[in-house]
Amino acid sequence: MGANSSSISELPENEYLQKLSGSEPISENDPFWNQLLSFSFTTPTNSADLKLLEEATISVCKSLVEKNPRTGNLGSLIKVFLSRTKELKISAECQNHLFIWQAHNALFIICCLLKVFISRMSEEELQLHFTYEEKAGPSSYGAECEDLIEELLCCLIQLIVEIPLLYPCQHTDSNWWKWLCSWYRGRYSGGVTSALGYAVRDITYSISLEAVTTLIVFLSCQLFHKEILRESLIHRYLMHGRCLPYTSRLVKTLLYNFIRQERSPPPGTHVFQQQTDGGGLLYGIASGVATGLWTVFTLGGVGSKASAQLEQCSPLASQSLLLLLVLANLTDTPDTPNPYRQAIMSFKNTQDNTAFSSSNPHAFQINFNSLYTALCEQQKSDQATLLLYMLLHQNSNVRTYVLARADIENLVLPILEILYHVEERNSHHVYMALIILLILTEDDGFNRSIHEVILKNITWYAERVLTEISLGSLLILVVIRTIQYNMTRTRDKYLHTNCLAALANMSAQFRSLHQYAAQRIISLFSLLSKKHNKVLEQATQSLRSSLGSNDSPLPDYAQDLNVIEEVIRMMLEIINSCLTTSLHHNPNLVYALLYKRDLFEQFRTHPSFQDIMQNIDLVISFFSSRLEQAGAELSVERVLEIIKQGAVALPKDRLRKFPELKFKYVEEEQPEEFFIPYVWSLVYNSAVALYWNPRDIQLFTMDSG
């Protein structure tokens, strides 16, 4: 690369890259590394540009794959990087003012090379490329050789957890900061703290992002296997040995990166005045650091603008969340449960003063209020919804905190909006949103409180103007709409089951249902009734037409009929649950029931529904009688008044008692079969500055993400 490489098209002929991938071993002490690592660039942020970068460098990577076992140049590059990172921790005595910048550039090259190596070879072959040892001969792989893979992994984790994202007026008491300010004053005039602060933030942000990205690349071997990896060299390193003590700190740092949503440094902010030294290191401090360091080559010259998407988001937050999801979904080993999942399952609020359990060494504390705010704000992405699901399902501390929040609508509304726009979301995102609702509705306190939260003007709900509605009624509307969409489009039984389970969990606590919500409950039952009759008619006609013919097989209408009757049964149980426990709180539901009472006639004598119809039939008969006594031509207001009066007079002992409707979410056996491909599809589609050739992907098909 070097100082003079500024466009992708020049990379295959770049003299430094050619030497790196050549036949001659390069010592880690060779001045070549200073030349190689003196480059400035702006990262390609879209898949097209990233594809160009990969295609331009593939010849270099292939050459290195072929020759590295004899030269060990990859190992030398990694050792150069490791030596630079050691200098990051040196305080006032440090004399190398370029250590962060060169460490970042070295790590970027390592990441690019690793991505190609991992996509083209097994872990065993990869390990051989890391274990070259010059002392024992040019092609020797000694067991006594220092394990560079583990050292590099450990170094990356240390970078993530120990390098702060520095800002003006922060860390000004550290020797590292004081030395940097002193060095800056010796060369330039002007405001030191603010100007240098942004420069340092630029560099530290970039190297933190690159460290997170490289860890994702290390774990990307899963992409190139159809089966879930249950034994992996990289997994073992991360779950044992030198990396293990950093587990809780790494998870905590990644969570805080997600919480803080720090924007990427703006490109083109020149802090250091340009100096030239024949294109060497000082060129780098003039152009590399000052132009925003964060990241790769330009397509049209150094300093091209970052994409609008990246200006509006936090690459570090997004990449940290992806890494966290990947780590949390590593499979357990026979002798060791996944420590990253253990850390996610057990962390506590900073305000929780109870002692940590001795059985979990990876527990830590984090600010739950900040975490809750970030989760509420970021639910438009699959990744944030998946994180919320994991925390609610696996961490009882988070679940208890969320359910106790007085502003639960801030979390529920984004989830409802995901379900409302089901046509625009992928099926996995919809599933996660729905399961989150199911988990929340397992709590009776939640089911009561959502009817006490009054919302104004829900602008994204287009079917009807909702100027005022309770959160509970809105939740019912959205879930029913999801069921109706599923009935007419996807016909997914799993989606049906979870929607109905959430409604069933809430049914005993229905309170003051909005008239439109009550109407939609009965309208859904009407839709099911019509579908039931249609399938029944089709089955009858098919049977008649086949009496004279033995050639054509009968369609399996019995299975369709069974599914519809299961859903009808559940809807009747939901209505019954509300009537038997909170009829007096829901006059609008009774009104809607009476208005469409003819719908229920056909189910009175049906053997599958007779028992559950007894209570509904009693309520319809009781209130119909009172309305008849009140006379004809009654206004809506008068009918509701009669219903409210009748609710007090209705003899509750005549209503048959049924078991309480309660459903609890339980993960399927071997959940990794679903979650690992899902997580990696998110990485493939969403990771910043990462591109994999779709033809190489084995874990999932390209339309599964």
Side-chain angles (χ1 to χ4, degrees):
M1 294 186 184
N4 297 319
S5 279
S6 61
S7 70
I8 287 179
S9 60
E10 300 171 6
L11 290 178
E13 288 76 38
N14 181 274
E15 62 176 302
Y16 301 106
L17 291 180
Q18 286 184 339
K19 183 172 181 179
L20 175 66
S21 59
S23 303
E24 295 297 321
I26 307 171
S27 164
E28 59 193 274
N29 299 316
D30 196 302
F32 161 80
W33 300 110
N34 285 336
Q35 298 168 320
L36 174 71
L37 301 179
S38 300
F39 61 90
S40 169
F41 42 71
T42 302
T43 297
T45 56
N46 60 66
S47 59
D49 291 354
L50 288 164
K51 183 180 179 182
L52 285 178
L53 173 61
E54 173 130 330
E55 291 172 347
T57 56
I58 195 65
S59 60
V60 173
C61 294
K62 284 182 177 179
S63 177
L64 189 62
V65 167
E66 177 187 348
K67 297 172 182 175
N68 184 70
R70 296 186 296 276
T71 66
N73 286 343
L74 175 63
S76 294
L77 173 60
I78 291 170
K79 289 176 182 177
V80 169
F81 166 71
L82 293 173
S83 70
R84 296 295 193 274
T85 58
K86 290 187 176 84
E87 294 171 11
L88 295 178
K89 302 165 191 174
I90 296 176
S91 59
E93 294 78 21
C94 177
Q95 299 298 312
N96 182 4
H97 51 266
L98 303 177
F99 46 87
I100 302 180
W101 176 61
Q102 286 208 338
H104 170 272
N105 287 358
L107 183 54
F108 170 74
I109 298 174
I110 291 169
C111 186
C112 290
L113 296 174
L114 276 177
K115 190 164 68 66
V116 176
F117 273 53
I118 289 171
S119 68
R120 292 174 175 268
M121 62 184 68
S122 68
E123 287 189 327
E124 290 74 17
E125 292 174 298
L126 179 67
Q127 191 173 28
L128 292 179
H129 281 273
F130 275 77
T131 52
Y132 169 87
E133 188 179 23
E134 186 179 3
K135 291 179 184 177
S139 58
S140 170
Y141 306 97
E144 72 282 359
C145 180
E146 184 178 34
D147 195 329
L148 274 182
I149 293 183
E150 182 173 32
E151 187 172 0
L152 179 55
L153 287 169
C154 198
C155 177
L156 293 173
I157 294 173
Q158 289 172 338
L159 278 177
I160 294 168
V161 302
E162 293 180 358
I163 300 299
L165 301 181
L166 297 175
Y167 295 90
C169 303
Q170 289 185 346
H171 305 278
T172 54
D173 57 341
S174 69
N175 288 333
W176 187 81
W177 175 263
K178 289 175 180 175
W179 174 84
L180 208 53
C181 287
S182 174
W183 176 86
Y184 183 91
R185 284 193 190 95
R187 289 156 177 79
Y188 311 106
S189 58
V192 174
T193 302
S194 62
L196 186 54
Y198 281 112
V200 173
R201 183 213 171 206
D202 187 344
I203 304 169
T204 56
Y205 189 103
S206 301
I207 200 167
S208 296
L209 176 60
E210 204 63 54
V212 171
T213 301
T214 308
L215 275 180
I216 291 175
V217 168
F218 253 124
L219 290 159
S220 66
C221 52
Q222 176 65 79
L223 282 172
F224 313 106
H225 294 79
K226 289 184 179 180
E227 303 298 325
I228 302 301
L229 291 180
R230 302 184 187 278
E231 293 287 336
S232 165
L233 174 71
I234 305 302
H235 295 185
R236 286 200 301 272
Y237 282 130
L238 289 171
M239 294 166 63
H240 298 84
R242 295 171 57 189
C243 295
L244 185 61
Y246 292 95
T247 296
S248 59
R249 291 178 65 191
L250 178 58
V251 172
K252 183 176 182 178
T253 301
L254 295 174
L255 277 172
Y256 268 125
N257 285 348
F258 166 72
I259 288 169
R260 289 168 178 148
Q261 292 290 315
E262 299 293 355
R263 300 290 192 249
S264 59
T269 307
H270 289 266
V271 176
F272 297 94
Q273 297 175 9
Q274 184 164 346
Q275 296 183 28
T276 58
D277 186 25
L281 294 181
L282 290 179
Y283 172 91
I285 204 67
S287 61
V289 175
T291 55
L293 227 251
W294 114 253
T295 61
V296 187
F297 311 86
T298 69
L299 294 175
V302 175
S304 62
K305 289 185 177 180
S307 71
Q309 180 184 4
L310 283 175
E311 289 175 355
Q312 297 170 7
C313 71
S314 168
L316 181 59
S318 175
Q319 210 88 323
S320 294
L321 178 52
L322 290 171
L323 176 58
L324 181 63
L325 294 175
V326 170
L327 291 171
N329 285 282
L330 297 179
T331 54
D332 297 334
T333 61
D335 58 336
T336 308
N338 180 344
Y340 302 97
R341 187 182 301 120
Q342 284 187 315
I344 287 173
M345 292 171 62
S346 58
F347 69 81
K348 302 190 302 182
N349 194 354
T350 49
Q351 296 180 352
D352 186 345
N353 296 320
T354 59
F356 286 113
S357 170
S358 58
S359 62
N360 188 354
H362 307 300
F364 61 91
Q365 289 181 297
I366 203 166
N367 187 309
F368 275 17
N369 182 61
S370 300
L371 176 61
Y372 180 81
T373 301
L375 288 168
C376 292
E377 293 175 348
Q378 300 300 321
Q379 284 308 306
K380 289 185 179 180
S381 76
D382 283 70
Q383 301 92 287
T385 304
L386 181 53
L387 175 63
L388 176 59
Y389 158 78
M390 285 171 45
L391 295 179
L392 289 175
H393 178 56
Q394 299 177 2
N395 190 313
S396 59
N397 300 318
V398 173
R399 184 168 61 252
T400 300
Y401 177 86
V402 167
L403 290 168
R405 289 286 301 208
D407 59 348
I408 191 68
E409 68 274 14
N410 290 340
L411 187 68
V412 175
L413 282 173
I415 299 300
L416 295 183
E417 198 167 352
I418 293 168
L419 292 176
Y420 183 81
H421 296 293
V422 59
E423 303 93 338
E424 304 168 13
R425 304 290 182 179
N426 70 70
S427 60
H428 290 0
H429 198 185
V430 173
Y431 285 150
M432 290 298 102
L434 186 54
I435 292 169
I436 287 167
L437 288 185
L438 179 55
I439 292 171
L440 293 174
T441 61
E442 292 171 11
D443 183 76
D444 286 341
F446 171 84
N447 295 331
R448 286 190 297 270
S449 66
I450 55 176
H451 292 288
E452 298 168 1
V453 178
I454 305 302
L455 307 169
K456 307 280 189 181
N457 300 317
I458 307 302
T459 55
W460 48 262
Y461 194 92
E463 279 79 357
R464 177 165 172 159
V465 176
L466 299 175
T467 55
E468 185 173 290
I469 190 171
S470 71
L471 179 62
S473 289
L474 181 63
L475 196 158
I476 293 167
L477 285 175
V478 173
V479 171
I480 287 175
R481 185 180 183 274
T482 305
I483 294 173
Q484 291 177 323
Y485 174 83
N486 187 50
M487 286 176 63
T488 57
R489 305 285 183 87
T490 56
R491 299 183 181 180
D492 186 331
K493 185 179 179 181
Y494 180 85
L495 199 66
H496 260 17
T497 301
N498 284 285
C499 284
L500 292 168
L503 289 176
N505 283 346
M506 294 187 291
S507 59
Q509 277 84 34
F510 283 173
R511 295 289 187 275
S512 304
L513 289 184
H514 191 281
Q515 62 180 19
Y516 185 53
Q519 290 170 15
R520 298 311 296 163
I521 291 173
I522 305 304
S523 294
L524 175 58
F525 186 81
S526 175
L527 181 64
L528 291 167
S529 176
K530 291 176 183 177
K531 194 168 184 64
H532 178 269
N533 294 340
K534 182 179 179 181
V535 173
L536 199 57
E537 183 182 347
Q538 288 173 335
T540 304
Q541 290 177 351
S542 177
L543 185 60
R544 285 173 181 168
S545 63
S546 64
L547 288 176
S549 172
N550 296 322
D551 297 333
S552 57
L554 286 174
D556 190 5
Y557 289 113
Q559 184 177 357
D560 289 347
L561 204 59
N562 183 54
V563 171
I564 294 171
E565 288 184 354
E566 284 180 3
V567 177
I568 289 174
R569 170 82 190 188
M570 181 69 84
M571 283 302 301
L572 288 172
E573 289 181 346
I574 289 167
I575 294 169
N576 177 72
S577 173
C578 177
L579 295 178
T580 55
T581 58
S582 55
L583 181 148
H584 56 293
H585 290 301
N586 294 289
N588 284 326
L589 181 61
V590 177
Y591 183 99
L593 197 65
L594 294 172
Y595 190 75
K596 293 285 188 179
R597 55 183 174 269
D598 293 345
L599 278 176
F600 299 88
E601 288 290 335
Q602 62 176 310
F603 300 110
R604 281 183 177 178
T605 56
H606 194 292
S608 298
F609 311 121
Q610 270 184 317
D611 58 337
I612 203 74
M613 276 300 301
Q614 290 179 17
N615 287 342
I616 295 173
D617 194 34
L618 173 64
V619 170
I620 290 174
S621 300
F622 177 82
F623 284 99
S624 294
S625 173
R626 294 182 75 92
L627 290 175
E628 288 172 4
Q629 294 171 14
E633 303 298 329
L634 298 174
S635 66
V636 173
E637 292 75 14
R638 178 58 181 149
V639 172
L640 286 172
E641 184 182 345
I642 293 170
I643 290 172
K644 290 175 183 177
Q645 293 169 352
V648 179
L650 178 69
K652 304 295 190 297
D653 57 341
R654 292 177 58 189
L655 295 174
R656 179 179 171 182
K657 299 295 182 184
F658 286 85
E660 184 181 13
L661 288 180
K662 274 297 172 187
F663 294 87
K664 185 176 179 63
Y665 169 72
V666 179
E667 275 188 349
E668 300 276 348
E669 289 186 17
Q670 296 186 317
E672 64 275 9
E673 297 289 342
F674 170 84
F675 285 104
I676 290 178
Y678 179 33
V679 167
W680 277 106
S681 73
L682 296 179
V683 173
Y684 176 84
N685 288 306
S686 307
V688 177
L690 278 177
Y691 167 83
W692 287 277
N693 190 325
R695 294 192 299 272
D696 296 335
I697 305 301
Q698 298 292 318
L699 181 62
F700 51 82
T701 56
M702 287 301 103
D703 59 351
S704 68

